[in-house]
Amino acid sequence: MQLVGAKSSQRLNDIGEGSVTLLPVEPEDMWHANNLISAEDVIKAHAVRKVTTESKTGSTHSERVHTDLTIRVTSTFFDTAASSLHVTGTVIVENSFVNVGQYHTLDLELSRPFTIWKKNGWDSVATETLQESLKQDKEGTVAAVVMQEGIANICLITEYRTILKQRVESTIPKKRAASSDQNSGMRRFFDKTLTTLMRSIDFGTPRPLLLASPGFVAGDFKKYISEEGTRKADKTMMAMAKKATVVHSSSGHLHSLNEILKSPEVLATMKDMKFSKETRYMDELFARLRKDDGRAWYGVSTVVKAVNEGAVGRGGGVLMINNSLFRSLDLATRKKYVTLVDRVREDGGEARIVSSDHESGQRLDALGGIAAILTYPMLGLDDDEDEDEGDGQNGVIEEPDLII
Amino acid sequence: MSRHQAYRNYDYENDLDEFDGQEAYDDEEEELSPEDKAQMEAGTTQVRHALGPQASKVTTAQIQEALWHYFYDIDKSVAYLVTKHIASPKAAKSAPAQKNKGEVASGTCHESSKHFSFADFFSDMPWGNIPKHREGSFIAPLYPRGGLLGGAGTPGKPSKLQQLALARKKKAEEQKAGNMDQDVQGTATQLSQLSVAQDLGVNEAGKPLSITGPSSPDSTPSSKKPGLGTLLADRKRKVADLGQVEIPPVTKPSPEPSVTTPNEDPAPEPATPSAFAQTLFGSAPAAPKPLPKTSYQLPYMALTSSVSEAFSGPSPDDVVLSAQAKASNKKLASSSSKKTGGHDTKMDQASEGVKAMNFDDAPLPKSKNLNVLKEYENSNAKKSVSFVVVGHVDAGKSTLMGRLLLDLKVVDQRTIDKYRKEADSMGKSSFALAWVLDQRVEERSRGVTIDIATNRFETDATSFTILDAPGHRDFIPNMIAGASQADFAVLVVDASTGAFEAGLKGQTREHALLIRSMGVSRVIVAVNKLDTVGWSQERFDEISQQVSGFLVATNFQLKNVSFVPVSGLRGDNMVHRSKDSEADWYTGGTLIQELENSQPLARALDKPLRMTISEVYKTTQSPLSVAGRVDAGSLQMGDALLIQPSGEKAYVKSLEVDSEPVDWAVAGQSTVIHLTHIDPIHVRVGDIVCDLKKPIGCIDTFTIKALAFDVLMPMQVDVHRGRLHAAGQIVEMPAILDKVKGTVLKKKPKVVKPGNIARVVVKLSDKMPLEAGQRIVLRSNGETIAAGLLE
C-alpha cells in the first residue's frame, strides 16, 4: 500500500483526526484495507454507478457513469479467495448522479486510490495496522502443499494470511489390490496434485515451496516433480523441485501447518517471517497453558479481568489478540479491545496482534481469539464465571460408566 | 393418452383419401326413403312375430337396427336379436339404443376396433425362427378412438371428421346401391348371398375383407396406397361397413370360446407382407402360414367377452384422473380415460414407469429374502476371529506374521525363497518373511509397513483374520483403522537390548493405549527376538513385568494378558515349540495356542447394519466393490443400502466373506460387497454402509466422553474413527467427570489434564457419519491426545 496525495509528506505520527489517501498495489493490500476500514468511517473512492434517467415521454435510459463517491461505511465484505473488498454505505456527499442518503457499494480496486476518514480518530491499533500496511519491505510468499495419501491441500502463505488455494482428493487403492494398481493410483494422485499446484500458484518467479506429509508421500512427490520436469523439459518444474523443502507433518490436514512452520527446516530459512513468529508465540502460549500454573489464561472475560488487575505487565506479560476482534462492526466492542491493548502497553507488557487468517490465528481463534500470559500466577480466574452461568448441570449425577 | 398422441397415432391418410373420392358430404342426415320405411315396418312386424313371447325383450329400435344391418333379412335379424339382446341381456344393456344410421355406423366401428388385436398384424411375419425366449412382448400401439377425432364429449355427437367419414360410407353404400339402379332388393340379395357364403364357411365373403390391397373388389380410392396402416384402417372400415356381420375366423383357429357371439372379436386375417416388410424380412413364403398364435398374444386376448368388458369402461383410476383433469382444466389424460379404458391406463402407467426409471437397464439384484440371523445360527461355521498385530516400529510384527503363515502352510516355502532372493538383491534378506504381508513396492523398498495388511488362516476350530498394523508413528491412522476391526491384539515387543526400552517410550505404549480405547480387552504379548539375548529368562521376566505394569495402568486386566517368548525369524514357540535347549524353561502355550484361546467379542447382530468401508476397488465382478468388516447387523444379496455421508443408495449385487461367495453376511465378518446402481464417485474409504431404513446420521458437531492422554484445551485435532480421518477442532469442554462415578467434578475447565475424563465438544470441518456409542480417537501433532465414546 502506498500513501498518496497532498498528505503523503505528512508523517504518520501526525495523523490525528485527519484523512489518509491510500493506493493499494497488491492483493494483500486489500486485506489491510479490510482491517483498516470499520463501520462509521468515511471512504471516498472511485465508483461505477448505474444511473437511470427518465425522459419526458416516460422512456427510461440507463447509463454507467464513473464518478467519485463519498460514503459512510455500514459494512464491509472481504472475499478471501479473490482478495477483493466491497464496502457498503450511504452516500454523504451529493453529486450530479446520486443524492445524499442513497446506498452504494464501493468495490475497492487495485491501483485506484481511496481516502479514509476515521470519525472517532485513529486509535493505536488502527495506526499500527496502517503502519504495517505501508511497510515497504515485503516478505515473500511461500507456497505449501500439505498432503497425505489421497489428500493434498495446496496453500499460499503470505505475510498476513494463509490462503487455501485448492484441495485435491483422490482415491488410492489399498493394499489388497495388486500393487500396480496402488502405484498407478499414487501416480494419478501426484499428477493431479502437480497440475493443480501449477495452475493455482504462479511459479513464474521462483518462490519457496514446502512439501509436508506423514511418511514418504512428500518426498515421493518432490521426486515426481523433478522427474516430470526432466521428462517434459520444463524448467519451471525443475526449479520448483530444486526449491522444494520436504517437511514432516503428522497429517495431511491444513492445521498441520502449525507443525510445519516450527520444523527446523522451515525455521532455518524463514525464521523472521511474521507467520513463523506468530506460530512460535502460539506455541509458547500453549506450553504455558499446558503447565496450568495459573499464569496463562484464555477467553475474553478472564483476560479482561487479568488485565484490569494489572497482571499482564512488565516482566513477561503478553497479551495475544486476534485481529479479527478489531474487525468487529460494533464500535463499542472494538473500543473495548483497543483499550485492552493500550492498557497492556501502558503497563509495560507486550501486546501481540495475531493475524486471524494464519493457522496460528486459527488456533487462537479456538481459544476465543484472546489469551494472555501473566507476570504472576492468578488462580481461580474462571471461578466466578462458573457461578454466573450455573446451568443446573451441577446436581446431575451421571451413571458411572467408564470410558475405558 | 393425451389428445396429441391420439392425433399422432391417427391415420389421417385414410380419411383424406376418402375425401378425395367423394364430393357430396352434406347429405348424411337424409331420412329413410319411403320404400325403406315401408320395408322396415313390415320387417319389424315379421321379426316381432318370429320372436314370439320374447319380443318384449327387444325394442322396436333394436329390431329396426338389426333389420337395417341385415338389409331386411328377417331370419338373420331374428338370429342376431336372439343372441345379442335376448340371450345376453347384459350385452343388450350395454349396447346403446341407436336409431340414427350414422350412430349405428360409428358405434359398430367403435366396437370392432376395441377388440381389435394388434398382435395379429404381425402374426404372419417370418421372424426367422427366433428362439421363443428372445421374442419381445408385443405392446399394442395407441390407436385412435372409434369416435374419431374430437369425440371427447357425448358419444352420440359425431365430430366433423366423423361426419365426413360417415358421409363417405353412406356414399359408398349409395354408390353400391346405385350400381344396382337403386334396387334395394338387389342389394339385399347380394347381401344375403354374402351371408349365405359366410354361413357355408367359405372364404368368399372373407375375401374382400382380407387385406389384399388393390385387388380388393370393392376397392375405394384409398386402397390404392397399400401401406400397412392404410390397409388396416381400410379393413377396419369394411368391418364397420358390414356392421356386426358375423365373421367366423376362417384361416385361424381362435382360442376364444365362442365364435357365435357377434360381439366377439373377429380375428384379423393374415395379410401379404407389405413391400417394406418384404424388404426387411426377405421374401416371405408364397402363402405365409400363420405362426402359432401364442407367440404374440396379448394377455387379455384370451379373456372371455364378459371379462374383457370389465375393462371396456373407464377404470376407477381413470375416473379419478379425468375428474382431476377436468378440475384443473387440463386436457391431459381426459381423452385416455374415456375411450379405451383399462387398456390405455395400463399403457399410461407403463409409460410413466418408463419415465420414472433411471434408464439403468441392469435389473436389480434379486433378494432371496433370507432370515439372515436364523441362517447364521443354523450354519455351524467355525468361529471367525480377527486380531491386530501392534507394536513399536521394527519390533518384527510383519516377520512374525509371515513366519506364522509359513508354518501354517498358508504360504509355501517356494514363495518365501523367491522373496528371500529378491530381498537379498536389495540387501534386506531378513525382510523376506515380512514381504508376505508387505506387498507394496514402497513398503518393500523401505522395509516398513505403511498400511494395514490383511491375511487369513484357519485352525481346526477357528478362522483367523490377521490385521498387520504399521508400527511407525506416521502411520498410526492406519493402525487405528486396523485396531477398530479387531477382536483382540497381539502386542509384539522387541526383546533385544535397547530396543525394548526405545519401544516402551515409543509406539508400544501408544499402541497399547489405542487398542484399549478401541475396545480391545485381550492382549497376547509376543516377546520377540528373544533368541538374540540367548533365550534369557531374566530378560523375559523383566519385560513381562514392565509391560504388564503399563498394561494395567492403561486399564487392561491381567487375566486377559498373556506372554509368549518367540522368535519370529526362526519360528520358535509359534506353531511349534522351541527346539532350542536354552528355551526349555518356558512351559506355557505357543502363540497359536494362545490365539485359539481367545474369544471373539460379542457381535451386535440384531442392530441395524453398519460397515465402515476400508477399501474401495474395481473387480471383474462389479465396477465397485467395497471391503470392510461388518460392525453391526447383517446384510444379504439384493439388499438396498445407503452410503453415508454421500447419502447415495446402492444395491448388493453379490457378497463375499473370506473370499468365498455367500448369500449373506453378519457382524464380525470381513466382507466384500459388490455394489450396483451407484456411481463410484460417491463411495470413499472411511464411508459407512448402512441400513436404508435406519441410516446413520451425518453430523459435524459431537460430544465425546474422553480420557485425556495429554493436555486438552480448545485446539485443532485430527479425529479418527476406524478408517475415517477428519480434521476438527475442540470447541469446548463442558465438564471434567469423576473417573468412577461419572459425576461432574468441575465445570468448564480451561484445561483438561492428562488422565482426566472430560466431556469434550468437537466440531468437524465437514459432516461425517457418526453415531452414539462409537469410539473416537483425537490426535494432535502426531500424538494421541484423547480417546472416548461418542455421546
Side-chain angles (χ1 to χ4, degrees), chain B residues 422-434:
Chain B
E422 283 170 29
D424 261 342
S425 67
M426 288 170 78
K428 295 179 164 129
S429 58
S430 66
F431 283 92
L433 282 168

Side-chain angles (χ1 to χ4, degrees), chain A residues 148-149 151 167 169 171-177 179 181-183 186 213-217 219-220 223 248-256 258-259 262 286-287 289-292 297-299 301-302 359 362-363 365-367 382-383 385-386 389-394 396-404, chain B residues 437-443 446 448-454 473-475 516-517 554-555 614-617 627 672 684-685 705-707 709-711 713-718 723 725-731 733 737 739-744 746-751 753 757 759 775 781-782 787-789:
Chain A
Q148 71 187 38
E149 258 176 47
I151 301 177
R167 187 179 158 90
E169 268 185 73
T171 323
I172 292 173
K174 294 290 175 190
K175 226 163 164 177
R176 182 181 304 214
S179 53
D181 273 8
Q182 164 104 38
N183 276 353
M186 220 46 199
S213 81
F216 317 107
V217 183
D220 290 349
K223 217 190 303 165
H248 177 267
S249 74
S250 61
S251 81
H253 296 299
L254 197 58
H255 59 75
S256 293
N258 288 320
E259 230 178 295
K262 66 184 183 203
F286 271 74
L289 279 171
R290 221 167 263 273
K291 281 188 198 158
D292 197 20
W297 291 98
Y298 64 86
S301 57
T302 39
E359 278 308 304
Q362 299 286 318
R363 279 164 90 187
D365 218 30
L367 296 176
D382 54 342
D383 285 353
E385 210 181 335
D386 265 7
E389 338 170 347
D391 46 3
Q393 248 192 8
N394 250 336
V396 182
I397 293 172
E398 315 212 356
E399 73 283 14
D401 57 336
L402 273 173
I403 296 162
I404 280 178
Chain B
L437 292 147
D438 292 352
Q439 289 180 335
R440 275 167 68 162
V441 178
E442 258 194 327
E443 289 178 327
R446 295 180 200 273
V448 158
T449 308
I450 291 174
D451 204 350
I452 286 281
T454 45
R473 57 186 278 256
D474 276 358
F475 309 119
R516 188 69 196 96
S517 36
T554 40
N555 263 332
S614 54
E615 278 169 66
V616 180
Y617 53 92
V672 176
R684 285 177 308 175
V685 167
K705 197 192 271 180
L707 173 68
F709 301 135
D710 198 348
V711 178
M713 57 189 111
M715 64 206 287
Q716 285 152 329
V717 288
D718 289 358
R723 268 281 177 203
H725 177 188
Q729 188 180 35
I730 297 181
V731 190
M733 299 164 298
L737 306 173
K739 258 190 177 173
V740 186
K741 286 183 284 183
T743 50
V744 176
K746 186 175 196 292
K747 280 179 54 188
K748 299 212 171 181
K750 291 279 163 190
V751 173
K753 292 227 179 122
I757 290 175
R759 197 169 273 132
R775 290 174 185 277
N781 291 340
L789 282 173

Side-chain angles (χ1 to χ4, degrees), chain A residues 92-211:
Chain A
I92 53 164
V93 175
E94 199 170 28
N95 65 14
S96 48
F97 305 111
V98 281
N99 297 324
V100 169
Q102 280 187 307
Y103 273 88
H104 189 85
T105 300
L106 291 171
D107 301 330
L108 296 188
E109 287 171 74
L110 292 182
S111 315
R112 292 240 192 221
F114 67 92
T115 311
I116 170 168
W117 282 272
K118 287 252 174 219
K119 190 190 170 201
N120 302 297
W122 291 77
D123 56 41
S124 61
V125 174
T127 324
E128 199 180 317
T129 314
L130 184 60
Q131 258 162 350
E132 253 173 22
S133 70
L134 292 175
K135 226 173 21 182
Q136 289 300 315
D137 50 337
K138 296 279 177 202
E139 288 167 6
T141 53
V142 178
V145 184
V146 190
M147 58 206 299
Q148 71 187 38
E149 258 176 47
I151 301 177
N153 287 293
I154 296 169
C155 51
L156 202 59
I157 309 167
T158 68
E159 195 176 353
Y160 294 97
R161 346 180 244 156
T162 305
I163 309 157
L164 175 64
K165 282 284 186 186
Q166 199 62 259
R167 187 179 158 90
V168 181
E169 268 185 73
S170 165
T171 323
I172 292 173
K174 294 290 175 190
K175 226 163 164 177
R176 182 181 304 214
S179 53
S180 63
D181 273 8
Q182 164 104 38
N183 276 353
S184 66
M186 220 46 199
R187 283 196 82 77
R188 222 172 31 239
F189 169 59
F190 282 159
D191 181 52
K192 211 165 150 188
T193 312
L194 183 57
T195 45
T196 318
L197 179 67
M198 299 293 281
R199 206 173 43 228
S200 50
I201 294 175
D202 177 26
F203 282 95
T205 51
R207 62 171 88 218
L209 173 66
L210 290 178
L211 302 174

Side-chain angles (χ1 to χ4, degrees), chain B residues 69 104-116 168-169 173 176 194 198 205-206 208-211 218 231-247 262-269:
Chain B
H69 281 295
V104 170
S106 81
T108 43
C109 176
H110 170 185
E111 284 291 297
S112 60
S113 64
K114 192 198 291 177
H115 296 290
F116 189 72
R168 191 212 54 78
K169 277 172 208 151
E173 277 167 5
K176 240 191 268 171
L194 188 70
Q198 280 174 343
L209 290 175
S210 69
I211 309 163
D218 63 338
L231 289 172
L232 290 170
D234 206 14
R235 197 195 71 85
K236 214 190 313 182
R237 198 181 58 235
K238 278 177 207 135
V239 173
D241 282 351
L242 286 167
Q244 301 194 331
V245 174
E246 178 192 326
I247 305 165
N263 218 9
E264 205 56 69
D265 187 14
E269 306 286 313

